Amino acid sequence: TVQGFPESVRLPKSGRVLQVDFDKILRGLKKSFRTNGTLIRDEEHGTIIQLQGDIRKEVAEFLVDATAIVTKDMIMIHGS
């Protein structure tokens, strides 16, 4: 899970705020890693992406590199 997954992202140079499309990110993850998954909306933690299989490290790299909406220190990998 990603704690405090942002609902929107502010671009550093322009200051524009973009909404995060979790459905699109989930589709990309499901296609890239050939797995199934779902989005869970939680009041305390925000949006949680839950995927099947042990692909924690690969998903963390995907979120940091491909989406650039989270940093490496924002990601907590459980059970590793």
Side-chain angles (χ1 to χ4, degrees):
T1 61
V2 179
Q3 292 186 337
F5 213 172
E7 296 293 327
S8 61
V9 177
R10 181 177 302 278
L11 297 177
K13 289 188 179 183
S14 66
R16 278 184 48 200
V17 176
L18 302 175
Q19 294 300 323
V20 176
D21 188 353
F22 291 104
D23 292 318
K24 199 177 260 190
I25 293 171
L26 179 62
R27 274 194 307 270
L29 287 167
K30 287 165 71 171
K31 269 187 157 182
S32 296
F33 300 111
R34 295 187 178 131
T35 187
N36 196 13
T38 188
L39 294 176
I40 299 172
R41 312 258 187 230
D42 183 67
E43 288 182 22
E44 184 180 346
H45 298 293
T47 303
I48 299 168
I49 298 173
Q50 185 177 34
L51 299 170
Q52 290 181 334
D54 189 10
I55 51 174
R56 294 173 283 200
K57 292 177 183 172
E58 294 87 349
V59 169
E61 290 174 14
F62 177 89
L63 292 173
V64 172
D65 298 336
T67 65
I69 60 172
V70 293
T71 58
K72 201 169 193 166
D73 58 327
M74 292 173 68
I75 295 177
M76 177 189 300
I77 300 176
H78 294 280
S80 60

